[in-house]
Amino acid sequence: MSGQHPISTALGAKKYERVKKGIRQTLIMNEIIAFLFMVVLFFFGHRIIGLFTKQPEVIESGFLMAKVMCAGYIVIPITNILAGALRGVGISKIPMYTMVGCYVVIRQIYLAIAYHFVHSIVVVYLGWPLTWVICAILLVVYFKKANWLAHHQ
C-alpha cells in the first residue's frame, strides 16, 4: 500500500461503497468502545479519579463532571470519524469550521448566557456534551445531504 491511507486507496480505485462501508464499520466499533468507556466511567468513576487524588471533594467534583459529560461521549466518534472522512476526500474547511464553530464559538456563547442565569458548575460541564451534539448533528446533516464523494470523483 506504500503508506497510503485506506480511504485514499479506496477512493483512488473508485470503490465508493467500500469507503461508506469502512466509515460505517469504524463508527460501529468506536460507538461500542465509547459505550463501554461510559459504563466503566459511570460505575467506577470514583475509583478511577481516586487514582489521582485522595481528596473526597475533588473526587466528587470529578465524578460529577464525568456523569454530566458521560452521555455526550457517544457522539464524539461521530464528529471525529465524519470529519476525518470529509478531510480524506479533500473537504477540510467544512469540518474545521463546524468543529471550531461548535467547540469554541457556540460553547462560549452558551457559557456566557447559561451561567448568567444559573450559577452552577453543572451548567459549565453541560457545555461540552451540548456542543458535541450540535457538532455531530451538523456534520451528519452535511454528510447525508452533500454529495461529498463527488468532490473526489
Side-chain angles (χ1 to χ4, degrees):
M1 218 181 258
S2 70
Q4 284 191 340
H5 193 278
I7 287 181
S8 300
T9 305
L11 285 170
K14 299 187 186 300
K15 295 182 179 180
Y16 303 119
E17 285 308 310
R18 184 175 177 192
V19 172
K20 291 177 183 178
K21 181 180 177 185
I23 292 168
R24 277 191 303 274
Q25 289 176 336
T26 304
L27 276 167
I28 290 167
M29 288 185 292
N30 278 267
E31 290 299 342
I32 291 168
I33 292 167
F35 178 76
L36 293 174
F37 176 75
M38 290 168 34
V39 169
V40 168
L41 191 60
F42 192 80
F43 288 106
F44 302 103
H46 280 99
R47 291 187 183 136
I48 294 169
I49 295 166
L51 295 172
F52 301 96
T53 182
K54 298 299 177 211
Q55 297 175 328
E57 308 85 29
V58 175
I59 293 171
E60 203 53 48
S61 180
F63 187 59
L64 174 62
M65 182 179 189
K67 285 192 307 187
V68 170
M69 295 173 73
C70 207
Y73 291 154
I74 206 77
V75 299
I76 292 174
I78 296 168
T79 59
N80 289 332
I81 291 165
L82 294 184
L86 291 170
R87 288 185 202 107
V89 297
I91 302 172
S92 60
K93 289 182 182 177
I94 298 293
M96 179 188 66
Y97 292 144
T98 303
M99 294 174 101
V100 169
C102 291
Y103 297 166
V104 178
V105 177
I106 293 174
R107 188 176 296 158
Q108 294 307 310
I109 292 168
Y110 160 79
L111 287 171
I113 294 169
Y115 198 75
H116 178 74
F117 293 104
V118 181
H119 297 302
S120 167
I121 194 67
V122 174
V123 169
V124 176
Y125 294 158
L126 283 171
W128 276 274
L130 174 69
T131 53
W132 295 337
V133 168
I134 292 169
C135 188
I137 290 168
L138 292 173
L139 285 173
V140 166
V141 168
Y142 180 82
F143 205 78
K144 295 268 186 198
K145 298 289 183 190
N147 193 4
W148 57 274
L149 276 175
H151 188 272
H152 187 270
Q153 295 174 350

